[in-house]
Amino acid sequence: MGQLLSFTDKGLYCPAGDFYIDPWRPVAKAVITHAHSDHARWGHQYYLCHTYTKPILQARLGNNHYETVEWDEPVFMNGVKISLHPAGHIIGSSQIRLEYKGEVWVVSGDYKTEDDGISGAFTPIPCHAFITESTFGLPIYNWKKQADIYNDIRQWVTHNQQQFNTSVIIGYSLGKAQRIITALAPLQQPIYVHGAIWNMQQAIASAGIVLPEVIRVTPETSKAELKNSIVIAPSSAEDSPWMRRFSPYRVGVCSGWMQVRGNVRRHNADAGFTLSDHADWNGLLSSIAATGAEKVYVTHGFQSTLSRYLNEKGIWSAEVKTEYGGEEENAEADTITPVAE
Ligand SMILES: [Zn+2]
Ligand SMILES: [Zn+2]
């Protein structure tokens, strides 16, 4: 097997096709898995991405040379066949399949195995080499079913309302927020959102995706209408003056990291919901096995643990050092320029 991708200091590089996948330094040609800021960076001369990803990139990075494709619509660069396939992570998120002289490599980007109804359903793609993330690559990470988590969130909101508290739900503005909105829609109540989430909603709507209606919190929003209401905000809003207008309120954080005891307290939250846009431990293992890959390269997360585990199971694996990661915890403010308020 040849080396269809090489791991360079600018990112994952395909020498035969002369392009990069999710490069972290400015390059001539970038193929983008998804619009999170650590994967889709500023400064490339050309971006190839899924149709749904383009309006989000435009909102984040401004005008650039963007070219879009649908899932499973091949593009050729110097004879390398490139196609994008659903990764199930966030809207537009894609696995990137490369084929050259009979050899197939797949870069998964970030992915999640349970279908959230918004992000496209992840399907494993047979390949010779698979590049996987490992954000939650430890056996302790096992997600509850999405329907059950959504139920928990709704019950928590209802309980807060009985106690005359506003429910402030914290979630990453691209990916998580749209799922929280979906989870809350059955309550048939107004859903208020922070400006960062509002901006994201507009970008997503311009991609032609219909989400439940939300109301933007502005300085004019009255305290009376917010009383006992539902508010969704990014983590940058936690413990900020912006939150004061909701008083009395309860804070619930949605994140895969909530699986670990102590993280609810660390966030100063009243509740934690283990809702993640990434595969859990079993999701990673079953996806890797389903590709049938001879070689598995492991990127950001718990790469040494996952890579060692795969090698012990007889699957050739190596760690790859990248500059991806951090999106669930700290990169929130970076997702989109928040409107001052
Ligand atoms: Zn991501
Ligand atoms: Zn990532």
Side-chain angles (χ1 to χ4, degrees):
M1 189 167 76
Q3 198 73 16
L4 201 42
L5 280 175
S6 53
F7 306 104
T8 75
D9 56 2
K10 288 182 181 169
L12 313 183
Y13 178 61
C14 176
D18 194 22
F19 59 85
Y20 289 82
I21 296 173
D22 292 355
W24 48 83
R25 298 267 182 283
V27 301
K29 279 186 179 173
V31 181
I32 302 294
T33 60
H34 66 291
H36 275 147
S37 54
D38 55 329
H39 290 261
R41 305 209 188 207
W42 180 86
H44 310 310
Q45 288 163 42
Y46 166 97
Y47 295 76
L48 178 68
C49 63
H50 187 269
T51 323
Y52 292 160
T53 300
K54 182 181 167 183
I56 309 171
L57 291 185
Q58 270 173 327
R60 281 197 36 231
L61 304 173
N63 280 329
N64 280 297
H65 184 189
Y66 299 115
E67 196 164 312
T68 63
V69 283
E70 299 297 329
W71 280 314
D72 210 6
E73 179 194 338
V75 168
F76 288 85
M77 289 190 197
N78 292 342
V80 178
K81 183 181 173 189
I82 305 167
S83 56
L84 274 56
H85 305 265
H89 172 56
I90 60 163
I91 285 166
S93 66
S94 304
Q95 304 181 72
I96 294 168
R97 181 187 185 275
L98 307 178
E99 185 177 344
Y100 187 64
K101 293 183 176 170
E103 194 175 317
V104 177
W105 285 48
V106 171
V107 178
S108 62
D110 291 331
Y111 62 102
K112 107 167 147 286
T113 49
E114 194 177 12
D115 185 357
D116 66 12
I118 306 169
S119 310
F122 173 86
T123 344
I125 301 163
C127 55
H128 299 104
F130 184 58
I131 294 143
T132 182
E133 55 137 323
S134 62
T135 307
F136 291 104
L138 288 182
I140 55 159
Y141 293 108
N142 280 296
W143 311 146
K144 266 166 78 165
K145 278 198 170 24
Q146 170 177 267
D148 295 338
I149 303 166
Y150 284 7
N151 225 351
D152 291 347
I153 296 172
R154 287 191 293 265
Q155 276 179 10
W156 180 75
V157 166
T158 304
H159 176 80
N160 290 340
Q161 290 181 330
Q162 284 159 357
Q163 313 281 316
F164 306 104
N165 282 309
T166 296
S167 303
V168 181
I169 305 170
I170 303 291
Y172 197 46
S173 61
L174 175 54
K176 207 64 57 65
Q178 292 78 48
R179 295 178 70 195
I180 299 167
I181 291 164
T182 307
L184 294 169
L187 291 177
Q188 307 231 338
Q189 289 173 37
I191 301 171
Y192 290 89
V193 297
H194 182 274
I197 292 168
W198 172 262
N199 289 348
M200 206 43 85
Q201 182 102 344
Q202 304 315 300
I204 289 164
S206 69
I209 291 173
V210 181
L211 290 168
E213 220 174 293
V214 294
I215 304 164
R216 181 183 179 166
V217 177
T218 70
E220 286 74 46
T221 313
S222 73
K223 258 205 89 148
E225 66 177 297
L226 290 170
K227 205 168 158 49
N228 231 7
S229 69
I230 303 168
V231 180
I232 308 174
S235 60
S236 57
E238 276 179 87
D239 301 319
S240 77
W242 185 83
M243 298 276 276
R244 271 183 223 133
R245 72 193 79 185
F246 307 118
S247 191
Y249 62 87
R250 291 281 178 269
V251 177
V253 176
C254 292
S255 161
W257 303 110
M258 292 298 114
Q259 181 115 28
V260 176
R261 244 176 252 277
N263 277 346
V264 179
R265 223 176 315 117
R266 203 165 57 76
H267 272 268
N268 229 338
D270 303 293
F273 303 100
T274 310
L275 183 68
S276 176
D277 288 338
H278 294 266
D280 64 4
W281 173 252
N282 287 317
L284 291 168
L285 295 182
S286 62
S287 304
I288 291 165
T291 65
E294 294 154 27
K295 287 190 172 186
V296 178
Y297 294 96
V298 185
T299 65
H300 59 310
F302 294 99
Q303 61 264 49
S304 62
T305 309
L306 181 56
S307 189
R308 192 167 359 103
Y309 182 86
L310 292 171
N311 279 312
E312 281 166 12
K313 293 282 164 193
I315 298 170
W316 185 97
S317 174
E319 293 176 53
V320 179
K321 213 174 130 5
T322 65
E323 294 188 12
Y324 311 136
E327 72 189 31
E328 284 250 336
E329 284 288 78
N330 304 315
E332 183 66 53
D334 198 31
T335 307
I336 194 163
T337 315
V339 177
E341 55 181 23

